[in-house]
Amino acid sequence: MKPQTGYTSSYIISVLIIQQILGALSFPISKYGLEFIEPFTFAFYRFLLASIALLVVVLFRKHDVKIVKSDYLKVIGLGVLIIPFNQVLFLVGQSYTAASHGSLLFATTPIWIFIAAFIHLKERPSMRRVLGICIALGGVAAVMTSGAISLGTEYLFGDMLILFAVIAWSYYTILGKKLVEKYGALRVTAYSLSSGYLLYMPFGIYKSIHLDYSVVPLDAWWSVVYMAIGTSVFAYVLWYWVLKYMEASRIAVYHNMQPFIAAGVAYLWLGEPISAVLIFGGLVAITGIVIAEV
């Protein structure tokens, strides 16, 4: 049963596009910060800030539906998926690969969400949506096989970690959908993120103690702030908010926007190469999104 909403489809899609832009920026921004702050310490401060911000907002909001005890265990499970298995693996993987690699690997998200939604949510997407997903992924595949990114073994370890992070994010999406429909995006995001952070915190404290803070520039800390507030608060909450009103397999196709947004920012900020093939792949991916939505 789909939840009732007074929002128009165009409004929800606009929110989703904003969410994708915020998410895409996380790849080059985190890549910069990870040059100075090792991944586990980066994650420690990122999720500390995000947890505090989310819990403060939740504390001052009224909620009509109380979370039942059995659902708290599910929320904790989401926390395990989003912190140790998604974001920590992503940050470690991103430190061993290029910013464009991370965003391109995350573009495989529609495949994993499509499969998981079919298995767990019994979603039956239309052939048009399947075609749109395939075309969008084709744009990403064209980039990955063209030499626009390096496929050498020096990036293999980081790429594999990010792939596992992608699968964890997909299950965070699927398993969180029913909870979001019952309790809202803000609370589910706040409680899952905070519970995952509590599990991670002892290890994060240990790693943060051994960081040489004297070599970390102020800009690197702004990278942490963006990842905490821009990504973990706004992008995560918006993702679950949209998931409340749309099928998981439908919103998944929009993930194919991220590689090309991230590549453009990485080119302007980090000096990572960009090519005509990358531009072509981006246009193909957008075509796939349009087909899936028309």
Side-chain angles (χ1 to χ4, degrees):
M1 180 179 178
K2 293 183 180 180
Q4 297 297 315
T5 173
Y7 302 106
T8 64
S9 178
S10 59
Y11 178 83
I12 295 172
I13 290 173
S14 297
V15 172
L16 179 56
I17 291 173
I18 292 171
Q19 188 276 335
Q20 289 298 299
I21 292 172
L22 292 172
L25 290 174
S26 68
F27 296 99
I29 289 176
S30 65
K31 179 66 177 178
Y32 176 76
L34 288 165
E35 293 179 3
F36 305 98
I37 307 171
E38 63 88 25
F40 298 105
T41 302
F42 191 104
F44 172 74
Y45 287 112
R46 171 189 175 180
F47 292 115
L48 172 63
L49 292 174
S51 297
I52 292 172
L54 284 166
L55 290 175
V56 167
V57 174
V58 168
L59 180 65
F60 288 97
R61 284 176 62 91
K62 292 183 179 180
H63 307 285
D64 297 328
V65 181
K66 183 179 179 180
I67 300 178
V68 299
K69 290 183 179 179
S70 60
D71 283 341
Y72 272 113
L73 291 176
K74 297 176 183 178
V75 171
I76 292 172
L78 292 178
V80 174
L81 284 172
I82 196 60
I83 302 294
F85 288 106
N86 174 252
Q87 283 305 304
V88 173
L89 286 182
F90 161 70
L91 288 172
V92 176
Q94 191 66 79
S95 69
Y96 285 99
T97 190
S100 55
H101 281 224
S103 59
L104 286 164
L105 286 165
F106 257 87
T108 66
T109 298
I111 298 174
W112 308 107
I113 291 182
F114 180 87
I115 294 171
F118 182 84
I119 295 171
H120 299 285
L121 300 178
K122 310 303 180 185
E123 289 187 6
R124 299 293 187 271
S126 66
M127 288 303 297
R128 184 191 67 211
R129 190 172 303 162
V130 174
L131 176 62
I133 290 173
C134 292
I135 291 174
L137 287 171
V140 175
V143 174
M144 294 186 71
T145 58
S146 68
I149 65 171
S150 300
L151 298 177
T153 56
E154 69 272 19
Y155 291 137
L156 181 60
F157 178 67
D159 289 350
M160 288 300 296
L161 291 180
I162 291 177
L163 183 59
F164 284 121
V166 169
I167 297 173
W169 172 260
S170 301
Y171 268 89
Y172 174 77
T173 298
I174 297 303
L175 299 180
K177 182 171 176 60
K178 291 182 179 179
L179 291 172
V180 170
E181 291 174 353
K182 290 172 66 176
Y183 305 118
L186 181 61
R187 272 195 296 172
V188 175
T189 304
Y191 294 154
S192 62
L193 203 71
S194 300
S195 61
Y197 177 71
L198 287 175
L199 294 172
Y200 172 75
M201 186 170 62
F203 182 72
I205 291 174
Y206 172 78
K207 296 296 290 186
S208 64
I209 289 173
H210 294 86
L211 178 70
D212 182 2
Y213 290 87
S214 65
V215 300
V216 181
L218 180 60
D219 287 350
W221 292 114
W222 281 116
S223 173
V224 174
V225 172
Y226 176 82
M227 291 299 292
I229 306 302
T231 302
S232 297
V233 175
F234 286 101
Y236 283 13
V237 171
L238 290 178
W239 177 255
Y240 262 168
W241 184 87
V242 172
L243 186 66
K244 183 177 180 179
Y245 302 117
M246 293 174 63
E247 291 181 337
S249 58
R250 182 182 178 191
I251 68 174
V253 69
Y254 283 84
H255 258 289
N256 291 289
M257 295 173 59
Q258 290 198 18
F260 308 101
I261 298 171
V265 175
Y267 169 76
L268 294 172
W269 188 23
L270 303 177
E272 291 191 3
I274 194 169
S275 67
V277 175
L278 186 65
I279 296 172
F280 171 76
L283 293 174
V284 173
I286 292 172
T287 300
I289 292 171
V290 172
I291 290 173
E293 285 297 320
V294 170

